[in-house]
Amino acid sequence: MNPQQLIDLLTTSLLETLLMVGVSGCIAVIAGIPIGVALVVTSRGAMLQHLGINRVLAIIVNATRSVPFIILMVAIIPFTRWIAHTSIGTTAAIVPLSLAAIPFMARIAENAMREVDPGLITAARAMGASPLQIIAKVLLPEALPGLVAGTIVTLVSLVGYSAMAGAIGGGGLGDMGIRYGYQRFLPDVMLAVVVVLIALVQIVQSIGDWIVRRMSHR
């Protein structure tokens, strides 16, 4: 493989990886944070205590997180085919990536919100704020730096998951590394994929750290 072919292939694969990570990351944030909120506000002694709902959510989150990603991808192939009308390719890979990232983000969001000073919530309740107002104006804003940091951790994890998705034809850098670097015995391609993945993770983490530092200074 000549250098130009390698560059073209790397560019296409990188764009596919960014698409998978970006879309599944957005889905994880949109769905995971509300689940994290529900876990916090329905826990024992919380403002909307409901242990039944809390336990069901916790079981679902823990069960999903306990399944290795490669097994999850294979196990939900029928569901993936129903959603994406295919079980291979970049679009199909977004389905298991999202399902794996949602409970991960939910637990991170829960932990971030549990670190909010309980005194702020107590003060808001004493002033007559409703549970929805407390969530929107106290809990989420105060936990925002932790939520952003958790989102970055989720995105970094998704980069690794997306590489594993290449094992079943998910596209992206993982698919490129397996198809060309492993199956066709091209070590230079495998090395290039590893370097790009490392660079991608470093860029995402660095941007996330900068954003968190800016928010924490406020």
Side-chain angles (χ1 to χ4, degrees):
M1 181 179 295
N2 62 54
Q4 187 58 50
Q5 288 176 322
L6 179 58
I7 292 173
D8 292 342
L9 194 57
L10 273 175
T11 301
T12 301
S13 299
L14 177 59
L15 291 175
E16 291 176 348
T17 295
L18 291 176
L19 176 64
M20 288 189 288
V21 172
V23 174
S24 57
C26 288
I27 294 173
V29 170
I30 292 171
I33 290 179
I35 295 174
V37 170
L39 286 168
V40 172
V41 301
T42 61
S43 60
R44 187 180 301 276
M47 52 188 164
L48 294 175
Q49 176 178 314
H50 195 301
L51 298 183
I53 292 177
N54 187 270
R55 285 167 184 161
V56 170
L57 284 176
I59 289 171
I60 294 173
V61 168
N62 291 337
T64 307
R65 290 182 62 201
S66 65
V67 179
F69 179 67
I70 191 71
I71 295 176
L72 177 66
M73 282 194 301
V74 176
I76 67 167
I77 283 178
F79 178 71
T80 300
R81 190 178 291 115
W82 179 66
I83 293 292
H85 305 294
T86 180
S87 59
I88 59 174
T90 303
T91 303
I94 291 173
V95 177
L97 284 171
S98 300
L99 289 180
I102 288 172
F104 186 82
M105 185 66 206
R107 280 302 186 191
I108 289 178
E110 179 192 9
N111 292 335
M113 284 179 280
R114 289 195 185 282
E115 293 178 1
V116 174
D117 185 358
L120 295 174
I121 298 175
T122 302
R125 295 179 71 175
M127 289 187 290
S130 66
L132 185 59
Q133 289 174 323
I134 294 173
I135 293 170
K137 297 182 179 181
V138 178
L139 200 57
L140 290 175
E142 290 295 323
L144 193 56
L147 292 175
V148 173
T151 300
I152 299 304
V153 172
T154 302
L155 291 175
V156 170
S157 299
L158 282 170
V159 172
Y161 288 163
S162 70
M164 281 189 280
I168 60 171
L173 292 167
D175 182 57
M176 176 183 171
I178 291 172
R179 187 185 305 177
Y180 294 92
Y182 177 69
Q183 294 179 348
R184 300 188 185 182
F185 303 103
L186 297 174
D188 54 333
V189 175
M190 183 66 77
L191 177 61
V193 168
V194 171
V195 170
V196 172
L197 283 171
I198 292 174
L200 179 59
V201 169
Q202 291 295 327
I203 291 171
V204 171
Q205 189 66 60
S206 298
I207 293 174
D209 291 344
W210 178 80
I211 294 173
V212 171
R213 284 197 301 269
R214 290 294 299 271
M215 296 179 69
S216 298
H217 289 162
R218 294 179 181 176

